[in-house]
Amino acid sequence: MMYKLSISGNSGPSSSISLVDGRRYICGKGSESDLIVSNDSVSRTHAEIESQNGEVFISDQNSTNGTWINGERLVEPRTKLAVSDSIVLGTAVIILTEEVPSLASELKHAEQIAPVSAAADDYAYSSLLEHQEFIKEVHQKTLDFLDLHKRSILHKMSDTDLRIEASKAAEQVLDSEIVALPKGIKKSELIESTVAEAVGLGPLEPLLADESITEIMVNGYQNIYVERDGKLQKISKQFNSASSLMSIIERIVTPLGRRIDEGSPMVDARLKDGSRVNAIIAPLALNGATLTIRKFSKHRFGMDDLLARDTLSPNMGKFLEMAVHHRRNMLVSGGTGSGKTTTLNVISNFIPSTERIVTIEDAAELQLNQDHVISLESRPKNIEGKGEVLIRDLVKNSLRMRPDRIVVGECRGGEALDMLQAMNTGHDGSLTTGHANSPRDLLSRLEVMVLMSGVDLPVRAIREQIASAVDIVLQQTRFSDGSRRITSIYAIDGMEGDVILMQKLFEFVQTGLDENGTILGHYQSTGEIPKFYSDLENGGVVMDRSVFVNNGGESTL
């Protein structure tokens, strides 16, 4: 392992120095120092750094103002350093980093250690690919060859043409190296990785192509987590550097007319396939740029999919289909990642195809099967701080579009008031979601969101609006085993005094865990029947009340 010392906040002639194993290096303001630190607070011979057997040690040389490591004064006579340790001498900062080897030297080393057998060759290749600095060298040389950042033709080329050119550039870079690739290295895979880094989404591309992955979380360039089957797991892939991650984030948001920098360190966007993206960078993200991608499912979920995943029981599915068909206003409540949008998408497909539907979202995720659907998407401010279009603006505008149903991806602010008014003024059967831990909590949140609209309404008037507008509330929960279930369905039953009355119609009853940690339980009806059933029956509609018969619970896993 080779190391390098890099200095900032220094006006001296030396900015960095590569460490040779077995040597000692003096840091100070004296001209005889190996790393000259020009600073009045630094002693002539301030500190000594030694590289020995792949490890680096530092010792203070009785300096006047001391040597500081990661904010703490060095008191031990000899201390081992770790990569990225911050060494402060006066006002200068010295960082220990790994020395990046050249591509040619890496290949020479690989060629020298390459085993004879084919199986060992594969192993050597796998090990070499895991060496991020080697891959980084290939990627950087390809970028330099393409000079993508300076080419005006870049934005005029199609994605396919750009990838073809990047592939040719990567191949020329590899062919131009003095040392040929050893047998163990698969050139095609290395070129594919390089193209993804140069013009694509780098290590994210295979993750986006993996249909078993539902969410991708990047916590700094070295840590990538994914969600599979509702469970989080860390993977071995990583970005080459922090700048590589930032480049890919910018590659995502720039074509959408959005920006991310220190002045605007947060952004919501979406990929071409509809996957939702959130990015937040320094100075807000202390651990480095953080990227979260909620993948857009290529498979259109239906009620059969929810039943197969034990998200709800058959009777619950029949009830929801009836409620949507007969224009009941519905809210889907739950936490982040609990499956609210998927459930909203499934139940919205019960809307008759003869009706005009307007969907309103921050990032378009809904996939309705009907033909007569108008999809609206909010818009953030542009670089000049203008042009913002809020969900609330779209809800107001949708009322002028002659909708039969309004489907809002999520209510989180003042748009709740406009949504309630729409539900109360001829747009029955509208649907939306909201973040809450229980149906009762969601109703309380609705009150707060209405107040966020800026309209000064008494609490009782707000509750009357909610009780009149909302018919059904579903609670969706993500369990510890990764499963997502509708844990309860409530009907709103008017008001009594200042309290909104709620009837629990269905619930999930957890009975335990099996040896694998899988949640055991069953769905059951409470036996309660919502009042709107009687209203529909009085209007001549034949209703199936058998879904509310409590027969001891519908079994599930």
Side-chain angles (χ1 to χ4, degrees):
M1 183 74 68
M2 297 180 65
Y3 296 96
K4 180 172 69 173
L5 294 175
S6 301
I7 186 170
S8 60
N10 179 45
S11 58
S14 300
S15 59
S16 66
I17 185 171
S18 298
L19 303 184
V20 177
D21 199 53
R23 279 197 56 185
R24 300 183 181 211
Y25 300 85
I26 297 298
C27 302
K29 66 180 180 181
S31 59
E32 70 277 9
S33 297
D34 298 289
L35 188 63
I36 298 175
V37 185
S38 300
N39 193 296
D40 291 338
S41 301
V42 176
S43 300
R44 187 175 184 85
T45 302
H46 197 109
E48 181 183 81
I49 296 176
E50 179 184 4
S51 178
Q52 188 178 66
N53 298 325
E55 296 180 331
V56 181
F57 301 88
I58 186 171
S59 56
D60 185 78
Q61 301 297 296
N62 298 316
S63 64
T64 303
N65 295 310
T67 301
W68 299 75
I69 309 294
N70 299 328
E72 297 183 3
R73 185 162 185 164
L74 182 61
V75 294
E76 297 294 330
R78 190 168 184 261
T79 300
K80 181 180 176 181
L81 292 174
V83 173
S84 297
D85 272 351
S86 176
I87 308 161
V88 178
L89 278 61
T91 58
V93 180
I94 301 173
I95 303 294
L96 177 68
T97 58
E98 290 184 24
E99 181 77 270
V100 179
S102 68
L103 176 60
S105 64
E106 279 287 351
L107 293 177
K108 285 179 180 177
H109 177 66
E111 199 168 37
Q112 289 168 2
I113 65 172
V116 178
S117 69
D121 277 345
D122 290 340
Y123 175 80
Y125 169 65
S126 300
S127 300
L128 195 57
L129 277 186
E130 290 174 1
H131 199 312
Q132 293 298 316
E133 297 300 341
F134 168 74
I135 302 174
K136 179 180 178 180
E137 182 79 9
V138 180
H139 292 172
Q140 189 58 51
K141 283 180 176 286
T142 303
L143 281 172
D144 293 342
F145 186 89
L146 284 170
D147 199 18
L148 289 177
H149 302 294
K150 299 178 182 178
R151 296 179 50 173
S152 59
I153 195 174
L154 172 64
H155 302 293
K156 301 177 182 178
M157 297 177 67
S158 67
D159 184 65
T160 301
D161 292 339
L162 196 57
R163 284 178 176 271
I164 291 174
E165 184 166 347
S167 180
K168 291 178 180 178
E171 190 162 1
Q172 288 185 45
V173 166
L174 291 173
D175 290 342
S176 66
E177 290 297 326
I178 299 173
V179 181
L181 285 172
K183 295 179 181 178
I185 298 180
K186 297 179 181 177
K187 185 177 178 181
S188 59
E189 292 187 9
L190 188 54
I191 290 176
E192 183 180 348
S193 169
T194 303
V195 171
E197 179 74 19
V199 298
L201 300 180
L204 299 181
E205 291 201 348
L207 305 181
L208 289 168
D210 188 343
E211 294 187 6
S212 67
I213 295 175
T214 54
E215 198 141 4
I216 303 168
M217 292 142 279
V218 181
N219 305 342
Y221 76 95
Q222 292 180 313
N223 300 302
I224 301 179
Y225 293 82
V226 299
E227 182 188 75
R228 279 192 179 97
D229 299 322
K231 295 182 180 180
L232 296 181
Q233 54 185 263
K234 185 177 181 179
I235 63 171
S236 60
K237 292 181 182 296
Q238 65 179 53
F239 290 85
N240 290 330
S241 62
S243 60
S244 172
L245 173 56
M246 274 302 303
S247 175
I248 285 173
I249 291 175
E250 291 171 354
R251 202 172 293 159
I252 292 172
V253 304
T254 301
L256 302 175
R258 304 184 185 183
R259 67 187 180 102
I260 186 165
D261 50 39
E262 288 190 5
S264 180
M266 295 184 294
V267 69
D268 283 310
R270 57 187 170 90
L271 302 178
K272 292 179 180 179
D273 66 354
S275 296
R276 191 168 69 191
V277 177
N278 174 269
I280 181 168
I281 63 173
L284 303 186
L286 302 183
N287 297 328
T290 300
L291 179 68
T292 309
I293 301 177
R294 179 163 295 177
K295 289 177 60 178
F296 189 79
S297 176
K298 297 177 182 177
H299 172 68
R300 293 200 174 196
F301 283 86
M303 184 57 69
D304 290 341
D305 295 296
L306 297 189
L307 292 172
R309 288 167 170 77
D310 296 304
T311 302
L312 75 174
S313 71
N315 282 344
M316 293 164 69
K318 292 176 184 177
F319 170 75
L320 293 177
E321 182 176 3
M322 176 283 308
V324 173
H325 184 77
H326 289 289
R327 306 182 68 84
R328 299 299 102 181
N329 295 320
M330 198 175 303
L331 307 181
V332 181
S333 168
T336 300
S338 60
K340 300 185 300 298
T341 302
T342 299
T343 297
L344 179 68
N345 200 82
V346 169
I347 61 179
S348 64
N349 285 321
F350 291 134
I351 298 174
S353 58
T354 55
E355 297 185 13
R356 178 177 170 88
I357 308 166
V358 177
T359 67
I360 302 170
E361 301 171 85
D362 268 330
E365 291 182 283
L366 295 174
Q367 304 178 74
L368 275 63
N369 293 325
Q370 296 87 340
D371 292 329
H372 202 163
V373 178
I374 298 92
S375 299
L376 306 179
E377 188 176 59
S378 64
R379 186 178 68 184
K381 297 176 182 177
N382 59 21
I383 296 176
E384 290 78 25
K386 300 177 181 179
E388 182 179 29
V389 179
L390 302 173
I391 290 286
R392 186 175 187 188
D393 300 323
L394 295 177
V395 173
K396 289 179 179 179
N397 187 78
S398 70
L399 300 178
R400 305 184 186 98
M401 299 173 67
R402 200 261 176 217
D404 290 305
R405 313 260 189 154
I406 300 173
V407 181
V408 177
E410 181 183 344
C411 277
R412 58 167 66 95
E415 65 271 7
L417 175 60
D418 303 287
M419 189 70 184
L420 291 174
Q421 289 179 329
M423 290 175 171
N424 275 322
T425 55
H427 299 91
D428 295 333
S430 295
L431 311 167
T432 188
T433 73
H435 279 79
N437 293 326
S438 69
R440 179 65 69 180
D441 287 347
L442 181 59
L443 299 187
S444 298
R445 277 208 67 214
L446 275 176
E447 295 178 25
V448 175
M449 288 189 281
V450 169
L451 293 173
M452 290 169 65
S453 68
V455 179
D456 189 14
L457 292 174
V459 172
R460 180 175 176 83
I462 296 174
R463 290 179 181 173
E464 287 176 347
Q465 283 275 320
I466 294 172
S468 175
V470 180
D471 296 305
I472 298 167
V473 182
L474 285 70
Q475 182 64 38
Q476 186 111 3
T477 303
R478 179 177 176 269
F479 286 89
S480 58
D481 63 351
S483 61
R484 295 170 170 88
R485 292 184 172 92
I486 296 176
T487 51
S488 60
I489 299 178
Y490 283 78
I492 305 301
D493 194 19
M495 292 186 64
E496 187 174 281
D498 289 335
V499 179
I500 299 175
L501 298 179
M502 303 176 70
Q503 287 179 290
K504 183 187 285 187
L505 306 178
F506 298 92
E507 63 182 345
F508 174 76
V509 180
Q510 183 177 340
T511 57
L513 297 170
D514 67 9
E515 63 277 6
N516 298 319
T518 302
I519 301 292
L520 301 176
H522 61 267
Y523 295 98
Q524 66 181 25
S525 166
T526 63
E528 297 287 339
I529 299 176
K531 287 187 176 180
F532 65 77
Y533 259 57
S534 298
D535 296 336
L536 290 171
E537 288 172 337
N538 292 336
V541 180
V542 178
M543 305 299 295
D544 180 11
R545 292 180 174 241
S546 64
V547 296
F548 301 107
V549 175
N550 190 348
N551 57 5
E554 295 182 78
S555 298
T556 183
L557 292 177

